[in-house]
Amino acid sequence: MAAKRVKETYRAAGVDIDAADKLVKTIRKLARTTFGPEVLGDLGFFGGLFELKGYQEPVLVSSADGVGTKLKIACALNQHDTIGIDLANHCINDIFTCGAKPLFFQDYIAMAKLVPSILESIVQGMTSALSEVGCALIGGETAEMPGLYPQGEYDLVGFIVGVVEKSKLINGNSITAGDGIIGLPSSGLHTNGYSLVRKIFNIDEDPSCLNRIYPELGRNLGEELLEPHRCYYPILKSMLPMIKGIAHITGGGIPGNLPRILPERLAAKIEKKSWYIPPIFSLIQKEGNVDEVEMYLVFNMGIGMIVVCSPSDVDELTKKIPEAKIIGEVVEQKGTQRIAML
Amino acid sequence: MAAKRVKETYRAAGVDIDAADKLVKTIRKLARTTFGPEVLGDLGFFGGLFELKGYQEPVLVSSADGVGTKLKIACALNQHDTIGIDLANHCINDIFTCGAKPLFFQDYIAMAKLVPSILESIVQGMTSALSEVGCALIGGETAEMPGLYPQGEYDLVGFIVGVVEKSKLINGNSITAGDGIIGLPSSGLHTNGYSLVRKIFNIDEDPSCLNRIYPELGRNLGEELLEPHRCYYPILKSMLPMIKGIAHITGGGIPGNLPRILPERLAAKIEKKSWYIPPIFSLIQKEGNVDEVEMYLVFNMGIGMIVVCSPSDVDELTKKIPEAKIIGEVVEQKGTQRIAML
């Protein structure tokens, strides 16, 4: 558990034990804010314990994810209170594509040298996002690996487990031609495309551009790039009975992710003009002179989550979620293309 | 899933798509060797799906772990076929301390630049170890993060979920004074103490010592240091009805791990002379002029797993597992010390 592991790392590194004890207490306190009655045993055990209750035919849905080089932006700005939100929400969205309710989470944080204030900020962000959806942080590992990570940088990985009744599993199998494709707005880049953005703005060489205010963004570039990955679970969970398929728009963009949930011989027709593309994407495209096709393959372009439903449910879904936009339609596949971006 | 993720990373990096397809097929094939009928859905979905069947009051036991800087030894020797075994077995042992049967696993591999042969070797090791215990590799993430990881190096994280009936959960609560403490031999350093070993042998500066044959080891130092972390699940699982507590001897050694399973006001008395200490530990101690107390705090010293059982079961346990040694006894705690290494 977060608590145990810090102490051990500290001991091995010969770090001030009082400071270690204080950090351990803080992390335990943060983790406990995420606990429901299903969490058994105390922190500090070898495994995290979660009692699964109330399911007839439970299917466990799990995912492992990182946040890519968004980390580098957090490190350049020395601002670590939102990167844990990104990690948690990315994982929650991933398993929600199967209709799963998030149950518990474990994290892995690796640094060259443990910095208590950074660790505390990361865990704070993580637990605040997990608490929002009732997911427990029941364990994790902190690794101090000098020589593998550059000083002041770190890697961050999240593992999540959720559950769904087998009869309510969402896998896209019932999708048919004519179904509606509905997009939900992203809050920004989420956690994809940061390697390209760093290159375009030359951030690694000269991070000062992060402090530059762009009028079209209404804030500085750093704030825009650190905007946390949005969680769609709260807004979508009550819509599940109407939903046939869910695609989380991450690396690969809409063309890389939407076809993953479509049954064979079906394709998606997407109207690119049907939603608002936030200014950050136009700014990136302009600054980097990026081809439009590549933009849609690397970035979410303003759509963070896509749901597919039968045509008769489209109205109700978009009425209940006013920000949701009808962005396309499922069609019979012609030729080899699984998606047409019109 | 392993397969999906590689393709995306490849696409983003503009790598040869034929080579990518081949790697994807290889990894899918390896992952599928670990699948039982509980694994639902195909690879390539956003979440890994596992159907939980046949439990009355299931408690899910999970753990996230890395293999520390044992990675650096694998990289120095460019030998990556056993590090995945280390990762899997470390995780399996961790959740087994609660009596859990391993169900499924996810991995995270991060590199500066994806190297297909390395990735394949790691996954090969991982799946071979997971297959041994019937645990499914149902997902994972591969991250390419140039600028965070040094060229040719990587980090490797494992996440495991197992299950145990609530009534059969092992948590040490029933341990009482007079109980026997039984140790099982480790296969070497397992995955702890590598930072100290690297420093003592100056491995980062001059890895040639890894090829040096030490007569007391009967092989070269590199082979000894890469010896995979042993898995105790197969040998111990049928003994569970006799076992009151299990401690996995990882970072912190016996003094750091055994007390974690002891109820309050109980302590452990350990007879250091009761087991065979493999020559690698004496070699490290001699070469590094390491204090004996520190040796026991950093290394497992030849004991990889400890089980506690009532005195009446000691004979049967040690008869059924001939390599198991009685190494101590649970006693009433006197003063503040939770463990006495005699």
Side-chain angles (χ1 to χ4, degrees):
Chain A
M1 174 58 231
K4 167 262 306 188
R5 68 197 188 182
V6 173
K7 208 159 176 181
E8 272 167 24
T9 312
Y10 259 105
R11 195 188 293 127
V15 171
D16 177 4
I17 288 295
D18 286 344
D21 278 344
K22 205 173 147 230
L23 180 60
V24 166
K25 277 186 192 140
T26 308
I27 291 185
R28 285 195 172 180
K29 213 169 132 186
L30 288 169
R32 283 207 187 94
T33 63
T34 66
F35 284 13
E38 309 86 356
V39 178
L40 308 181
D42 199 14
L43 300 167
F45 217 65
F46 293 93
L49 304 176
F50 191 96
E51 189 173 3
L52 188 67
K53 273 186 191 173
Y55 288 83
Q56 300 296 315
E57 293 184 292
V59 173
L60 302 174
V61 187
S62 58
S63 184
D65 257 301
V67 292
T69 57
K70 189 168 189 171
L71 285 170
K72 288 230 159 221
I73 311 291
C75 289
L77 292 168
N78 194 27
Q79 193 192 316
H80 311 281
D81 54 343
T82 54
I83 202 79
I85 303 178
D86 286 295
L87 184 72
N89 288 350
H90 187 147
C91 290
I92 295 163
N93 288 340
D94 262 354
I95 61 163
F96 182 65
T97 61
C98 303
K101 169 189 153 72
L103 298 177
F104 59 86
F105 190 90
Q106 297 234 7
D107 67 290
Y108 172 84
I109 307 175
M111 298 183 185
K113 181 99 190 141
L114 201 66
V115 183
S117 61
I118 295 181
L119 197 59
E120 194 180 322
S121 287
I122 297 169
V123 176
Q124 176 96 56
M126 211 150 57
T127 51
S128 72
L130 293 170
S131 293
E132 295 268 329
V133 299
C135 184
L137 176 66
I138 57 169
E141 171 80 1
T142 304
E144 200 173 35
M145 300 211 275
L148 184 57
Y149 291 90
Q151 200 61 38
E153 301 206 13
Y154 53 90
D155 201 0
L156 185 58
V157 190
F159 301 103
I160 196 165
V161 173
V163 67
V164 59
E165 280 290 358
K166 194 174 182 183
S167 60
K168 294 181 177 166
L169 185 64
I170 291 184
N171 55 17
N173 281 356
S174 62
I175 293 173
T176 56
D179 281 350
I181 298 177
I182 292 170
L184 278 100
S186 64
S187 51
L189 269 58
H190 285 182
T191 44
N192 287 100
Y194 283 84
S195 292
L196 184 56
V197 168
R198 282 163 45 228
K199 209 169 115 194
I200 289 172
F201 290 91
N202 197 28
I203 293 171
D204 290 2
E205 300 289 311
D206 177 17
S208 70
C209 65
L210 293 172
N211 297 315
R212 186 170 148 199
I213 292 175
Y214 287 83
E216 60 265 58
L217 302 177
R219 55 178 171 178
N220 71 40
L221 184 63
E223 286 171 314
E224 178 72 29
L225 293 180
L226 276 192
E227 184 65 40
H229 196 136
R230 186 180 163 185
C231 180
Y232 297 94
Y233 179 74
I235 203 170
L236 284 177
K237 66 176 172 177
S238 64
M239 312 290 157
L240 281 171
M242 283 188 279
I243 294 173
K244 291 176 159 193
I246 309 177
H248 187 199
I249 309 307
T250 57
I254 296 176
N257 288 289
L258 182 51
R260 289 163 67 184
I261 63 163
L262 298 178
E264 277 183 36
R265 283 187 285 280
L266 291 180
K269 202 171 68 183
I270 299 292
E271 294 279 352
K272 283 187 290 191
K273 293 207 173 59
S274 58
W275 73 88
Y276 169 74
I277 298 178
I280 180 68
F281 299 105
S282 328
L283 176 66
I284 292 166
Q285 184 170 9
K286 192 181 69 190
E287 289 277 327
N289 194 21
V290 186
D291 179 74
E292 204 203 10
V293 172
E294 196 186 347
M295 285 299 295
Y296 280 88
L297 277 170
V298 175
F299 300 103
N300 64 57
M301 298 304 279
I303 297 292
M305 204 80 154
I306 285 178
V307 303
V308 177
C309 65
S310 82
S312 58
D313 287 327
V314 165
D315 277 356
E316 198 180 337
L317 249 166
T318 48
K319 202 187 292 170
K320 284 193 169 156
I321 311 175
E323 56 177 338
K325 299 275 173 249
I326 305 168
I327 63 167
E329 192 187 359
V330 178
V331 294
E332 301 286 350
Q333 186 180 342
K334 284 168 189 156
T336 56
Q337 226 185 350
R338 307 255 10 234
I339 190 154
M341 306 285 291
L342 307 177
Chain B
M1 174 58 230
K4 168 263 307 190
R5 67 196 189 185
V6 172
K7 207 158 177 184
E8 272 168 22
T9 311
Y10 257 104
R11 196 187 293 128
V15 171
D16 176 5
I17 289 296
D18 285 345
D21 278 344
K22 204 173 148 227
L23 180 59
V24 166
K25 279 186 191 138
T26 309
I27 291 186
R28 284 195 172 180
K29 212 169 133 185
L30 287 169
R32 283 207 186 94
T33 63
T34 67
F35 284 13
E38 309 88 354
V39 177
L40 306 182
D42 199 14
L43 300 169
F45 217 65
F46 293 92
L49 304 177
F50 191 95
E51 189 174 2
L52 188 67
K53 274 185 191 173
Y55 288 83
Q56 300 296 314
E57 293 184 292
V59 173
L60 302 173
V61 187
S62 58
S63 184
D65 256 302
V67 292
T69 57
K70 189 168 189 170
L71 286 170
K72 288 229 156 222
I73 310 292
C75 290
L77 292 168
N78 194 26
Q79 194 194 315
H80 311 281
D81 55 342
T82 53
I83 202 80
I85 304 178
D86 286 295
L87 184 72
N89 288 349
H90 187 145
C91 289
I92 297 163
N93 289 341
D94 262 354
I95 61 164
F96 182 66
T97 60
C98 303
K101 168 186 156 72
L103 297 177
F104 60 87
F105 191 89
Q106 298 236 7
D107 68 290
Y108 171 85
I109 307 176
M111 296 183 185
K113 181 97 190 144
L114 201 65
V115 183
S117 62
I118 295 181
L119 197 58
E120 193 179 324
S121 287
I122 297 170
V123 176
Q124 176 96 58
M126 212 151 55
T127 51
S128 73
L130 293 171
S131 293
E132 295 267 329
V133 299
C135 184
L137 176 65
I138 56 169
E141 171 80 3
T142 305
E144 200 174 34
M145 300 210 275
L148 184 57
Y149 291 90
Q151 201 59 41
E153 302 207 11
Y154 53 90
D155 201 2
L156 185 59
V157 190
F159 172 61
I160 195 166
V161 173
V163 66
V164 57
E165 280 290 358
K166 194 174 180 184
S167 61
K168 291 179 178 168
L169 185 64
I170 291 184
N171 55 18
N173 281 356
S174 63
I175 294 173
T176 56
D179 280 350
I181 298 176
I182 291 170
L184 278 101
S186 64
S187 51
L189 268 58
H190 286 183
T191 44
N192 287 100
Y194 283 84
S195 291
L196 184 57
V197 167
R198 282 164 44 229
K199 207 169 116 192
I200 289 172
F201 289 92
N202 197 27
I203 293 171
D204 291 0
E205 301 288 311
D206 177 17
S208 69
C209 64
L210 294 171
N211 298 314
R212 185 170 150 198
I213 292 175
Y214 287 83
E216 60 265 61
L217 303 177
R219 55 179 169 176
N220 71 40
L221 184 62
E223 288 170 312
E224 176 73 29
L225 293 181
L226 276 193
E227 183 67 39
H229 195 136
R230 183 179 166 189
C231 179
Y232 297 94
Y233 178 74
I235 202 170
L236 284 177
K237 65 177 174 179
S238 63
M239 311 290 157
L240 281 172
M242 282 188 280
I243 294 174
K244 294 177 158 193
I246 309 177
H248 187 199
I249 308 307
T250 56
I254 297 177
N257 288 289
L258 183 52
R260 289 164 66 185
I261 63 163
L262 298 177
E264 278 183 36
R265 283 186 285 279
L266 291 180
K269 202 170 69 182
I270 298 293
E271 293 279 351
K272 285 185 290 191
K273 292 209 173 60
S274 57
W275 73 88
Y276 170 74
I277 297 178
I280 180 65
F281 299 104
S282 328
L283 177 64
I284 292 167
Q285 184 171 12
K286 192 181 70 191
E287 289 279 327
N289 193 22
V290 186
D291 178 76
E292 202 202 13
V293 172
E294 195 186 347
M295 286 299 294
Y296 280 88
L297 278 170
V298 175
F299 300 103
N300 64 57
M301 298 302 281
I303 296 293
M305 203 77 153
I306 286 178
V307 302
V308 178
C309 65
S310 82
S312 57
D313 287 326
V314 166
D315 277 356
E316 197 180 337
L317 250 165
T318 49
K319 204 189 289 168
K320 284 192 169 155
I321 310 174
E323 55 177 339
K325 298 277 173 247
I326 305 166
I327 63 167
E329 189 188 1
V330 178
V331 295
E332 302 285 350
Q333 187 182 340
K334 283 166 188 156
T336 56
Q337 227 183 352
R338 308 253 13 232
I339 190 153
M341 306 286 291
L342 305 177

